[in-house]
Amino acid sequence: MLNQIYTKGAGLPLQGSDVAVAWDGLYWFLFWLSVFFFVLVVGGMIYFAIVYRQREGKKAKYIVDNHLLEATWTVIPTVLLLVIFAWGWNVYKRMVQPPSDAMEVRVIGKQWLWNFQYEDGRLETNKLVVPIHKPVKLLMTSEDVLHSFFIPNFRVKSDVVPGMYTTVWFEAKVPGEHQVFCTEYCGTSHSGMLAKIEVLEPAQYELWKANKPYTLSGVRTISSDIFAARRAAGESTQLKSETIPLPEQGKKLVEAKGCTACHSADGSARIGPSYKGIFGHEAELANGEKVTVDENYISESIRKPQAKVVKGFNPVMPPYTKEMISETEMNAIIAYIKSLK
Amino acid sequence: MSHSNTATLSNEIHGDNYLNHSKGLKSWLTTLDHKRIGLMYLATVLFFFLLGGIFALIMRLNLMSYGHPVVDANTYNKLMTFHGAIMVFLVIIPAIPGAIGNFVLPMMCGAKDVAFPRLNLASYYIYLFGALFATAALIGGGVDTGWTFYTPYSIRTSGPVILVLLGAFIAGFASILTGLNFIVTLHKLRAPGQSWSRLPLLCWALYATSIIQVLATPVLAITLVLLMMERVFKIGIFDPALGGDPILFQHFFWFYSHPAVYIMILPAMGVFSEIIPVFSRKPIFGYRAIALASFGIALVAFIVWGHHLFVSGQSELANFIFSLLTMFVAVPTGVKVFSWVGTMYKGSIRFNAPMLYAFGFIELFTIGGLTGVFLATLAIDVHMTDTYFVIAHFHYVMVGGSIMGLVGGMHYWFPKVTGRMYNETIAKWSFGFIIFGFNLTFFPQFIAGSQGMPRRYWSQLPEFDLWNRLSTVGSWFLAVGFVMVAYDMIRSARKGPIAGPNPWEALTLEWQTPSPPPHENFIETPVVTSWPYEYKPSRG
Ligand SMILES: [Cu+2]
Ligand SMILES: [Cu+2]
């Protein structure tokens, strides 16, 4: 059974991760600091307005300034602001740096749905299933315009940008459903671009992976009813239940798309460099610059080969548009190249 | 200040004043008088405020409860776009400089007019022309890009996007020309004896604003031109499908639009720096600090635009720098707020409507400013950005700041502009409606936003219904308040009691001449002999 505890009253959303706990600590510090300054300023104003209201026989005092006071209200806020900044940076670093053992899931946003592509080849729409207490890193891109992936319960968000990979990571500690919103305006059905994350206990997660029925327990997302209605209307969340691992899909793709004519997987150079062992290493470019080979670099090398030409090779690679290689296929190709250690 | 004038000024409406100096519609449309141009700006700005306000009311009605929309999603997105574009480009940016600044600034300097009266008239028509383009886009089916025109959506969506872009582009030149005019006026036309340290703070604020207008607006113009070229000729600058970079657009856009926030707020700060000492019967506290703070804010304004891009995919190093720099906006802003409250200390405070608006401004602006610190804090912004927390924050700053400045200023200078007094009872009630309605509309949005309610959603989830309902009801109070202000002002302009030259016993120069002022502002050129805030106890 799922119980509904999204928020209580006017409070923050539930704390779905340790990052959320850290975030809330900073938030409440700022909140009470703000209450203090609000009372100081507005309380002071109201107090003065009452005490020094115009009265028969009472004259205003002639005061022009007071340097000590002015210095005080310049210096104290400056110090406080620096503290706030440092604290904010500290929590931010935790929010954006995933642990190295994080499980990767690829996310593709498009008007107006979210696709989730798993390492084992599974593809789901608007539903992300993850195990509890395991760091999950989302590698995200967009098929069309800007979107933004926001999980209030985990306090994380990142824009999802066409032609680029951005990441979000979290480690769920509350089982159940968690809401995902698109938070970058993307046209007509922007407000319908919702998804949910299902956080499962390890045993249930294994059942899900094996395509067996599983039970979901814990909290309920705020749009559960909407998803239920969508399912009742015949929407399926599962696009592909077959499980050909992504790297294998990628291998088939590079063969089918004719990349093998110019690229090998065994380290030998053909017309172009070999894929073997490039991921995570530095590539030397014709203009002398060095770049680290990551998702963004590989995707750019395929979409716009002329943008960064590898040293020692001729710029003869043809560009591949989205019509030729979709973002879903691109993810598989990248996973394949990544697997060639 | 020179007071030799005041004594000799009669309380009668001066025979020959700027309103009856020449007659007929043509004399208005071709006028070079800064006062008339100011009023033309005011009328146009208020017309668009009404339009943008109606759009907002429809949106609030649409969001009132889950599952009961009053418009469809596409219509909502267009209303959202025009509400934002109209309120920013056609209302708040021109409001105080164009209307109040034009009317008051030359008089505060003891000048007959601005430095370039023809350019001033041109600037009004350029603004009007820009506004017509935007209106044409509205009539031509509307646009759904959002006022921020983020790429690549703005390149791909259908509709007359170009017309809106042209509208904002053209209106930008009006802003540049007004800024230029003010800077030259302040340098060249100050009255004899009015040294820089005797310049009223509204003039200082408008000076800082003008610098931003002149320097930042061209960047917006270039950005909008690039966007138009991309839409029409498919040149790849911002759309990745054409080989462009969508985040580059965001940098260009906010390089203007962040400083633009200070084009909106600095003049309002200037207005209240005038009102608060007058109604406290005390010198402004920390004159130098307030004047300097305006420039401090204007300077920092140019180097913090990246705080709008914390989750855009911008590098972590850039986020570090922009978050740190943004913190420093809060310091001069805090100095101003503390100084206004300090001015009231041991004063003899009068509760006329302009002062009530100052109280309201301080309350709203303090909340707006403090929540700005939340958003400047990197980690906090990641969760809050693109939620209603941001919506609430900038409405507290822009409506609570700029619109309060405009309406407060309209009450303060009403007797000068019309020669008559507004109705204090209606003014107090309308203020009550506005401040109550405003807080009811926007405070719940902070809560909904911190719970994750996203902005620009045609339909919100049922869990947020309570906050949305409160907010919608608040918007009606706000609307009633503004309608009452309009009623009072229209009525009092013709029927209000004669105000006399200086009903507030203020010391700045615009009050040392008849109300309404003569065509050339002053009967004889004023000579400044002291500071504009010299409220000696003897004057009560
Ligand atoms: Cu969206
Ligand atoms: Cu900004």
Side-chain angles (χ1 to χ4, degrees):
Chain A
M1 248 338 275
L2 299 172
N3 48 337
Q4 192 162 349
I5 50 160
Y6 177 65
T7 49
K8 282 206 190 76
L12 293 169
L14 74 87
Q15 297 173 327
S17 65
D18 286 338
V19 164
V21 176
W23 189 94
D24 291 12
L26 174 54
Y27 174 85
W28 289 116
F29 171 73
L30 279 173
F31 179 86
W32 289 113
L33 197 68
S34 299
V35 169
F36 170 79
F37 276 103
F38 181 79
V39 170
L40 189 76
V41 170
V42 177
M45 175 186 90
I46 293 172
Y47 177 78
F48 291 166
I50 295 170
V51 175
Y52 303 117
R53 66 184 183 279
Q54 183 184 22
R55 267 182 299 186
E56 223 29 69
K58 275 239 172 188
K59 301 237 178 264
K61 205 159 178 236
Y62 186 87
I63 307 169
V64 180
D65 54 14
N66 177 330
H67 293 300
L68 185 67
L69 197 59
E70 287 171 63
T72 314
W73 67 42
T74 309
V75 172
I76 292 182
T78 306
V79 173
L80 281 172
L81 287 161
L82 287 175
V83 171
I84 294 168
F85 161 76
W87 192 342
W89 169 248
N90 209 298
V91 176
Y92 172 75
K93 267 196 321 201
R94 285 182 63 185
M95 299 168 94
V96 295
Q97 288 174 355
S100 52
D101 63 336
M103 164 185 147
E104 277 182 12
V105 180
R106 282 146 232 270
V107 181
I108 299 168
K110 64 179 180 192
Q111 290 168 322
W112 290 280
L113 53 84
W114 297 102
N115 280 341
F116 298 98
Q117 204 178 1
Y118 294 81
E119 204 61 26
D120 66 4
R122 216 182 277 265
L123 197 60
E124 304 247 353
T125 295
N126 292 338
K127 187 175 102 178
L128 170 63
V129 182
V130 298
I132 194 165
H133 300 310
K134 172 135 183 80
V136 177
K137 174 179 164 188
L138 304 179
L139 261 174
M140 313 188 293
T141 191
S142 163
E143 286 270 13
D144 38 49
V145 296
L146 296 176
H147 303 281
S148 189
F149 195 86
F150 176 35
I151 320 163
N153 288 357
F154 301 150
R155 317 280 188 272
V156 289
K157 174 188 290 135
S158 172
D159 281 7
V160 176
V161 185
M164 175 174 164
Y165 290 88
T166 54
T167 60
V168 145
W169 87 274
F170 60 86
E171 184 179 329
K173 62 172 200 177
V174 176
E177 298 176 331
H178 300 273
Q179 181 64 40
V180 175
F181 290 111
C182 175
T183 43
E184 189 63 79
Y185 174 70
C186 59
T188 311
S189 296
H190 171 53
S191 58
M193 198 164 156
L194 309 171
K196 62 175 174 173
I197 297 179
E198 290 188 1
V199 175
L200 300 183
E201 300 292 349
Q204 301 301 320
Y205 181 70
E206 289 309 316
L207 285 176
W208 172 78
K209 266 183 97 172
N211 270 328
K212 294 201 179 111
Y214 62 94
T215 42
L216 176 67
S217 56
V219 298
R220 189 176 176 277
T221 119
I222 50 178
S223 62
S224 254
D225 300 338
I226 295 173
F227 287 111
R230 283 183 180 179
R231 262 196 302 284
E235 185 190 280
S236 158
T237 57
Q238 199 161 59
L239 294 182
K240 253 191 224 164
S241 56
E242 71 196 90
T243 49
I244 305 170
L246 268 195
E248 233 169 274
Q249 289 182 27
K251 183 163 189 281
K252 288 204 185 113
L253 278 168
V254 295
E255 282 157 11
K257 306 271 175 189
C259 319
T260 27
C262 303
H263 296 287
S264 83
D266 58 9
S268 61
R270 293 183 189 158
I271 297 170
S274 171
Y275 300 137
K276 190 177 162 67
I278 58 170
F279 197 93
H281 291 92
E282 277 194 341
E284 219 184 315
L285 302 183
N287 62 10
E289 276 177 46
K290 284 197 172 133
V291 286
T292 307
V293 177
D294 59 7
E295 285 85 3
N296 276 319
Y297 170 79
I298 297 182
S299 147
E300 190 188 23
S301 294
I302 296 170
R303 299 262 186 248
K304 292 185 267 179
Q306 264 51 284
K308 294 195 176 94
V309 176
V310 181
K311 193 175 172 184
F313 293 91
N314 294 321
V316 294
M317 174 164 161
Y320 291 85
T321 60
K322 282 201 179 109
E323 287 69 45
M324 302 153 91
I325 298 179
S326 70
E327 292 298 347
T328 320
E329 293 172 328
M330 179 68 84
N331 278 335
I333 293 175
I334 293 172
Y336 168 60
I337 296 178
K338 207 169 165 180
S339 73
L340 297 170
K341 293 269 151 56
Chain B
M1 293 276 138
S2 150
H3 301 295
S4 51
N5 267 345
T6 320
T8 61
L9 292 174
S10 81
N11 266 356
E12 296 297 299
I13 287 198
H14 193 264
D16 175 54
N17 63 52
Y18 80 102
L19 292 169
N20 63 17
H21 181 70
S22 52
K23 290 207 169 66
L25 186 64
K26 189 164 167 257
S27 78
W28 277 84
L29 296 181
T30 59
T31 184
L32 298 181
D33 183 342
H34 67 101
K35 301 183 285 306
R36 285 186 166 201
I37 295 174
L39 287 187
M40 280 153 66
Y41 257 111
L42 185 68
T44 321
V45 159
L46 291 178
F47 169 78
F48 282 105
F49 183 65
L50 178 67
L51 197 65
I54 291 172
F55 292 170
L57 287 172
I58 301 174
M59 287 196 289
R60 276 311 330 154
L61 211 56
N62 186 74
L63 294 171
M64 189 159 172
S65 69
Y66 174 75
H68 300 281
V70 297
V71 293
D72 63 30
N74 283 326
T75 309
Y76 181 87
N77 292 342
K78 288 174 189 170
L79 289 171
M80 172 273 279
T81 302
F82 278 96
H83 168 72
I86 287 176
M87 289 304 201
V88 170
F89 295 114
L90 301 183
V91 179
I92 299 183
I93 291 180
I96 297 189
I100 294 181
N102 252 326
F103 195 97
V104 176
L105 180 129
M107 298 185 76
M108 278 191 158
C109 308
K112 284 201 174 79
D113 208 312
V114 291
F116 309 115
R118 264 168 225 286
L119 201 62
N120 200 20
L121 184 64
S123 119
Y124 171 74
Y125 279 109
I126 292 171
Y127 160 68
L128 193 65
F129 198 53
L132 288 180
F133 271 89
T135 316
L138 193 61
I139 295 165
V143 162
D144 74 340
T145 56
W147 80 274
T148 46
F149 306 114
Y150 269 20
T151 53
Y153 188 74
S154 59
I155 296 165
R156 300 184 192 179
T157 185
S158 57
V161 180
I162 301 272
L163 284 180
V164 183
L165 294 175
L166 270 175
F169 175 79
I170 295 169
F173 285 95
S175 185
I176 298 176
L177 294 180
T178 302
L180 200 70
N181 227 331
F182 285 179
I183 293 175
V184 179
T185 307
L186 286 171
H187 274 274
K188 292 290 173 199
L189 299 183
R190 277 172 294 131
Q194 190 175 52
S195 61
W196 287 112
S197 57
R198 285 178 183 167
L199 194 63
L201 285 166
L202 175 60
C203 296
W204 276 117
L206 285 170
Y207 192 154
T209 309
S210 300
I211 293 177
I212 306 179
Q213 285 173 298
V214 170
L215 293 182
T217 317
V219 179
L220 178 73
I222 294 165
T223 312
L224 296 178
V225 169
L226 291 176
L227 193 53
M228 286 185 252
M229 300 219 300
E230 184 149 6
R231 251 188 96 90
V232 179
F233 304 116
K234 302 278 169 254
I235 303 170
I237 306 162
F238 303 126
D239 187 346
L242 303 170
D245 178 356
I247 299 176
L248 184 67
F249 176 82
Q250 299 175 28
H251 280 287
F252 282 179
F253 182 81
W254 289 110
F255 187 84
Y256 165 76
S257 294
H258 184 80
V261 171
Y262 301 104
I263 299 180
M264 306 182 209
I265 193 65
L266 282 172
M269 292 171 156
V271 167
F272 290 114
S273 300
E274 299 304 327
I275 290 176
I276 293 171
V278 170
F279 291 89
S280 303
R281 312 311 301 157
K282 265 190 69 199
I284 186 87
F285 187 92
Y287 170 89
R288 275 178 80 89
I290 295 184
L292 275 175
S294 287
F295 286 86
I297 291 173
L299 189 78
V300 184
F302 278 100
I303 48 174
V304 297
W305 77 91
H307 63 216
H308 295 270
L309 284 80
F310 284 159
V311 302
S312 70
Q314 171 175 268
S315 79
E316 283 162 34
L317 176 67
N319 282 349
F320 180 96
I321 295 168
F322 282 121
S323 170
L324 182 60
L325 291 174
T326 303
M327 291 293 171
F328 293 111
V329 178
V331 178
T333 311
V335 167
K336 286 197 173 204
V337 174
F338 293 129
S339 302
W340 293 320
V341 177
T343 305
M344 294 166 58
Y345 174 69
K346 298 217 163 156
S348 172
I349 297 166
R350 302 170 180 188
F351 292 86
N352 300 83
M355 191 60 177
L356 295 188
Y357 278 95
F359 293 146
F361 166 76
I362 291 177
E363 188 254 335
L364 302 180
F365 187 72
T366 302
I367 295 182
L370 288 168
T371 51
V373 175
F374 280 69
L375 294 172
T377 310
L378 257 178
I380 300 295
D381 184 73
V382 171
H383 176 77
M384 296 298 197
T385 187
D386 283 320
T387 70
Y388 265 71
F389 192 92
V390 175
I391 304 284
H393 158 70
F394 73 70
H395 280 85
Y396 265 85
V397 178
M398 288 180 176
V399 183
S402 315
I403 299 292
M404 285 282 149
L406 179 68
V407 181
M410 278 165 63
H411 283 92
Y412 179 59
W413 283 290
F414 188 85
K416 182 52 59 182
V417 172
T418 62
R420 292 173 186 276
M421 209 49 172
Y422 61 82
N423 181 311
E424 196 65 58
T425 312
I426 304 181
K428 286 198 167 108
W429 274 99
S430 57
F431 168 77
F433 270 91
I434 289 176
I435 194 81
F436 175 75
F438 183 90
N439 282 299
L440 188 59
T441 308
F442 293 104
F443 203 84
Q445 297 185 1
F446 280 124
I447 299 169
S450 66
Q451 296 182 344
M453 187 169 98
R455 70 189 284 196
R456 295 178 168 180
Y457 266 34
W458 161 70
S459 157
Q460 295 290 4
L461 295 182
E463 273 69 9
F464 303 122
D465 260 4
L466 171 63
W467 312 125
N468 279 318
R469 261 182 218 150
L470 290 175
S471 188
T472 303
V473 173
S475 71
W476 303 335
F477 281 89
L478 199 49
V480 169
F482 284 124
V483 169
M484 285 167 77
V485 172
Y487 167 79
D488 180 17
M489 297 219 153
I490 292 170
R491 195 181 141 269
S492 301
R494 283 173 296 131
K495 299 207 177 122
I498 304 295
N502 192 0
W504 310 127
E505 304 176 282
L507 295 182
T508 43
L509 285 178
E510 81 274 24
W511 298 103
Q512 321 310 328
T513 187
S515 307
H519 176 66
E520 357 13 64
N521 292 346
F522 298 93
I523 297 163
E524 49 194 282
T525 308
V527 177
V528 180
T529 53
S530 74
W531 202 45
Y533 304 103
E534 199 71 13
Y535 292 99
K536 291 280 196 224
S538 59
R539 339 189 93 254

